PDB file of all heavy atoms in Angstrom:
ATOM      1  N   ALA A  69     -11.818  12.372  11.299  1.00  0.00           N
ATOM      2  CA  ALA A  69     -12.623  13.371  11.815  1.00  0.00           C
ATOM      3  C   ALA A  69     -13.369  12.971  13.068  1.00  0.00           C
ATOM      4  O   ALA A  69     -13.404  11.780  13.317  1.00  0.00           O
ATOM      5  CB  ALA A  69     -13.644  13.769  10.658  1.00  0.00           C
ATOM      6  N   ASN A  70     -13.886  13.990  13.709  1.00  0.00           N
ATOM      7  CA  ASN A  70     -14.660  13.751  14.908  1.00  0.00           C
ATOM      8  C   ASN A  70     -15.975  13.194  14.521  1.00  0.00           C
ATOM      9  O   ASN A  70     -16.438  12.055  14.762  1.00  0.00           O
ATOM     10  CB  ASN A  70     -14.677  14.949  15.771  1.00  0.00           C
ATOM     11  CG  ASN A  70     -15.420  14.663  17.086  1.00  0.00           C
ATOM     12  OD1 ASN A  70     -15.109  13.579  17.654  1.00  0.00           O
ATOM     13  ND2 ASN A  70     -16.042  15.565  17.654  1.00  0.00           N
ATOM     14  N   SER A  71     -16.847  14.105  13.936  1.00  0.00           N
ATOM     15  CA  SER A  71     -18.186  13.705  13.553  1.00  0.00           C
ATOM     16  C   SER A  71     -18.665  14.114  12.227  1.00  0.00           C
ATOM     17  O   SER A  71     -19.794  13.786  11.778  1.00  0.00           O
ATOM     18  CB  SER A  71     -19.210  14.254  14.578  1.00  0.00           C
ATOM     19  OG  SER A  71     -19.028  15.698  14.566  1.00  0.00           O
ATOM     20  N   ASN A  72     -17.864  14.914  11.444  1.00  0.00           N
ATOM     21  CA  ASN A  72     -18.312  15.424  10.168  1.00  0.00           C
ATOM     22  C   ASN A  72     -18.220  14.376   9.084  1.00  0.00           C
ATOM     23  O   ASN A  72     -17.317  14.454   8.168  1.00  0.00           O
ATOM     24  CB  ASN A  72     -17.519  16.714   9.865  1.00  0.00           C
ATOM     25  CG  ASN A  72     -18.098  17.451   8.570  1.00  0.00           C
ATOM     26  OD1 ASN A  72     -18.924  16.847   7.917  1.00  0.00           O
ATOM     27  ND2 ASN A  72     -17.680  18.697   8.456  1.00  0.00           N
ATOM     28  N   ALA A  73     -19.125  13.382   9.061  1.00  0.00           N
ATOM     29  CA  ALA A  73     -19.013  12.329   8.187  1.00  0.00           C
ATOM     30  C   ALA A  73     -19.161  12.720   6.733  1.00  0.00           C
ATOM     31  O   ALA A  73     -18.491  12.308   5.908  1.00  0.00           O
ATOM     32  CB  ALA A  73     -20.125  11.289   8.536  1.00  0.00           C
ATOM     33  N   GLY A  74     -20.051  13.772   6.445  1.00  0.00           N
ATOM     34  CA  GLY A  74     -20.245  14.159   5.115  1.00  0.00           C
ATOM     35  C   GLY A  74     -19.008  14.548   4.390  1.00  0.00           C
ATOM     36  O   GLY A  74     -18.672  14.277   3.346  1.00  0.00           O
ATOM     37  N   LEU A  75     -18.280  15.424   5.250  1.00  0.00           N
ATOM     38  CA  LEU A  75     -17.060  16.073   4.528  1.00  0.00           C
ATOM     39  C   LEU A  75     -15.900  14.961   4.532  1.00  0.00           C
ATOM     40  O   LEU A  75     -15.232  14.814   3.588  1.00  0.00           O
ATOM     41  CB  LEU A  75     -16.533  17.253   5.372  1.00  0.00           C
ATOM     42  CG  LEU A  75     -15.393  17.978   4.857  1.00  0.00           C
ATOM     43  CD1 LEU A  75     -15.502  18.354   3.405  1.00  0.00           C
ATOM     44  CD2 LEU A  75     -15.042  19.176   5.605  1.00  0.00           C
ATOM     45  N   LEU A  76     -15.931  14.093   5.535  1.00  0.00           N
ATOM     46  CA  LEU A  76     -14.911  13.098   5.461  1.00  0.00           C
ATOM     47  C   LEU A  76     -15.151  12.061   4.303  1.00  0.00           C
ATOM     48  O   LEU A  76     -14.100  11.754   3.662  1.00  0.00           O
ATOM     49  CB  LEU A  76     -14.878  12.274   6.918  1.00  0.00           C
ATOM     50  CG  LEU A  76     -13.793  11.217   7.093  1.00  0.00           C
ATOM     51  CD1 LEU A  76     -12.471  11.848   7.209  1.00  0.00           C
ATOM     52  CD2 LEU A  76     -14.242  10.391   8.283  1.00  0.00           C
ATOM     53  N   ILE A  77     -16.367  11.749   4.068  1.00  0.00           N
ATOM     54  CA  ILE A  77     -16.677  10.905   2.868  1.00  0.00           C
ATOM     55  C   ILE A  77     -16.289  11.629   1.573  1.00  0.00           C
ATOM     56  O   ILE A  77     -15.531  11.040   0.781  1.00  0.00           O
ATOM     57  CB  ILE A  77     -18.190  10.657   2.843  1.00  0.00           C
ATOM     58  CG1 ILE A  77     -18.525   9.625   3.945  1.00  0.00           C
ATOM     59  CG2 ILE A  77     -18.562   9.998   1.533  1.00  0.00           C
ATOM     60  CD1 ILE A  77     -19.997   9.650   4.299  1.00  0.00           C
ATOM     61  N   LYS A  78     -16.572  12.885   1.453  1.00  0.00           N
ATOM     62  CA  LYS A  78     -16.224  13.615   0.221  1.00  0.00           C
ATOM     63  C   LYS A  78     -14.631  13.700   0.050  1.00  0.00           C
ATOM     64  O   LYS A  78     -14.113  13.397  -0.954  1.00  0.00           O
ATOM     65  CB  LYS A  78     -16.777  15.072   0.400  1.00  0.00           C
ATOM     66  CG  LYS A  78     -16.897  15.848  -0.816  1.00  0.00           C
ATOM     67  CD  LYS A  78     -17.836  17.051  -0.529  1.00  0.00           C
ATOM     68  CE  LYS A  78     -17.458  18.029  -1.647  1.00  0.00           C
ATOM     69  NZ  LYS A  78     -16.978  19.387  -1.093  1.00  0.00           N
ATOM     70  N   GLN A  79     -13.906  13.947   1.184  1.00  0.00           N
ATOM     71  CA  GLN A  79     -12.533  13.965   1.099  1.00  0.00           C
ATOM     72  C   GLN A  79     -11.911  12.618   0.739  1.00  0.00           C
ATOM     73  O   GLN A  79     -10.998  12.531  -0.107  1.00  0.00           O
ATOM     74  CB  GLN A  79     -11.947  14.423   2.482  1.00  0.00           C
ATOM     75  CG  GLN A  79     -12.262  15.755   2.816  1.00  0.00           C
ATOM     76  CD  GLN A  79     -11.766  16.232   4.325  1.00  0.00           C
ATOM     77  OE1 GLN A  79     -11.523  15.334   5.057  1.00  0.00           O
ATOM     78  NE2 GLN A  79     -11.510  17.465   4.491  1.00  0.00           N
TER      79      GLN A  79
END
Side-chain angles (χ1 to χ4, degrees):
N70 189 33
S71 60
N72 190 345
L75 183 54
L76 187 64
I77 291 165
K78 202 165 155 240
Q79 294 177 336

